[in-house]
Amino acid sequence: NKLISVQHLVKEYNHGTVKALNDCNLDIAQGEVVAIIGPSGSGKSTLLRSLNLLEEPTGGQIFFDGVDLADKSVDINLHRQKMGMVFQHFNLFPHKTVLQNITMAPLALKKKTPEEAQKQAMELLERIGLADKAGEYPNMLSGGQKQRIAIVRALAMDPEVMLFDEPTSALDPEMVGEVLDLMRSLAKEGMTMAVVTHEMGFAREVADRVVFMAEGKILEEGSPAELFDSP
Ligand code: ADP
Ligand code: ADP
């Protein structure tokens, strides 16, 4: 039941002078929540971007559902649609309403009819208690609201996996909780998630497994108890 298997992944930049990933190995099972922690520059973002095919590996392999993503038969756009990604900065489209932000990708990719997309977007907004904001523009919203909308926008594509890259790092402290609550509820529903975070409370409480990265590889991994509770 390995959904994702990263094997000996290497990613070099600047003609090999920077090794962002250096023999990185990681398996993620269906429904598993993996928290990825580690110092700045250790390769966490590069790993997530590689899973989403936003980076081309220098070496090693990534398997998704048993298929090597480097395989010629893999449709990169189709793969990306399976991977919902949420960044530190929300990247909402400022000139589109909240509703349009959520329906845009499913409509552009003809994944849903306008009626279906609209219905789902309203259900997602209800879920996060922001249905009354459907017609507003992002600049009217708080950081926490924007990030929750960025998360449901990713969910509107019905992804198989959600990737989070420091989703709460740019938020004022009082808004972190509402974003973590939404992520916790996704985890409870069985969403497969990889979460780069500095929120150790979240990692301890929600993650099935915590991996610690340094210098482009995973140095330690285990259950939150194994990693956080000293013997
Ligand atoms: P983290 O997310 O853990 O902070 P990153 O994956 O962002 O780490 O970066 C890992 C290393 O790779 C860092 O040394 C970073 O400067 C370098 N790096 C990341 N992206 C690029 C890039 N596009 N070009 C050159 N170096 C990069
Ligand atoms: P994060 O906060 O997610 O680790 P960074 O601030 O490291 O992100 O990187 C932001 C962007 O800049 C990424 O697209 C990354 O590829 C690029 N980048 C990071 N480090 C370098 C670098 N040393 N040279 C060129 N681009 C870089």
Side-chain angles (χ1 to χ4, degrees):
N1 64 342
K2 270 187 228 168
L3 184 59
I4 295 170
S5 182
V6 173
Q7 300 186 5
H8 307 293
L9 202 65
V10 175
K11 177 65 188 180
E12 296 176 347
Y13 292 110
N14 300 343
H15 312 285
T17 54
V18 176
K19 273 189 163 37
L21 295 175
N22 190 6
D23 195 19
C24 184
N25 293 281
L26 177 67
D27 288 342
I28 303 178
Q30 175 84 49
E32 195 177 21
V33 177
V34 176
I36 302 169
I37 63 176
S40 180
S42 58
K44 306 181 298 297
S45 279
T46 304
L47 175 59
L48 284 197
R49 292 199 307 268
S50 302
L51 294 179
N52 208 6
L53 300 177
L54 294 172
E55 300 282 354
E56 191 177 347
T58 310
Q61 288 166 299
I62 304 172
F63 293 88
F64 186 84
D65 240 345
V67 177
D68 185 341
L69 291 181
D71 208 285
K72 292 262 184 295
S73 66
V74 172
D75 180 331
I76 290 179
N77 289 318
L78 206 58
H79 176 73
R80 285 194 185 135
Q81 291 178 31
K82 296 178 188 170
M83 316 291 277
M85 184 130 187
V86 176
F87 300 91
Q88 188 170 344
H89 297 284
F90 333 110
N91 304 319
L92 295 177
F93 296 95
H95 303 298
K96 303 236 178 234
T97 65
V98 165
L99 187 79
Q100 289 167 338
N101 264 280
I102 299 171
T103 58
M104 186 160 39
L107 290 180
L109 296 163
K110 298 204 189 329
K111 221 177 134 77
K112 306 216 160 121
T113 66
E115 294 71 28
E116 286 168 344
Q118 165 114 4
K119 177 164 179 286
Q120 181 198 29
M122 288 311 299
E123 286 166 1
L124 289 166
L125 285 171
E126 297 278 358
R127 169 179 180 157
I128 58 173
L130 295 178
D132 59 327
K133 307 289 188 199
E136 290 191 12
Y137 290 87
N139 67 359
M140 300 298 291
L141 306 174
S142 72
Q145 291 172 335
K146 280 189 256 195
Q147 191 60 306
R148 285 183 289 143
I149 288 163
I151 293 170
V152 298
R153 180 178 58 173
L155 293 176
M157 288 296 289
D158 305 325
E160 293 183 32
V161 178
M162 286 288 288
L163 306 174
F164 294 88
D165 194 352
E166 302 197 17
T168 59
S169 295
L171 298 177
D172 291 334
E174 69 270 22
M175 310 206 166
V176 169
E178 61 198 48
V179 172
L180 294 181
D181 284 347
L182 173 56
M183 293 167 63
R184 189 178 294 115
S185 81
L186 292 177
K188 283 215 182 88
E189 285 172 9
M191 177 62 77
T192 306
M193 295 167 50
V195 184
V196 172
T197 187
H198 299 296
E199 295 287 338
M200 294 305 147
F202 177 86
R204 164 189 279 277
E205 184 202 335
V206 180
D208 298 304
R209 196 148 48 92
V210 180
V211 306
F212 176 76
M213 281 189 78
E215 296 179 349
K217 56 168 73 73
I218 286 161
L219 286 194
E220 281 196 67
E221 61 178 296
S223 67
E226 284 167 341
L227 234 70
F228 292 133
D229 299 340
S230 43

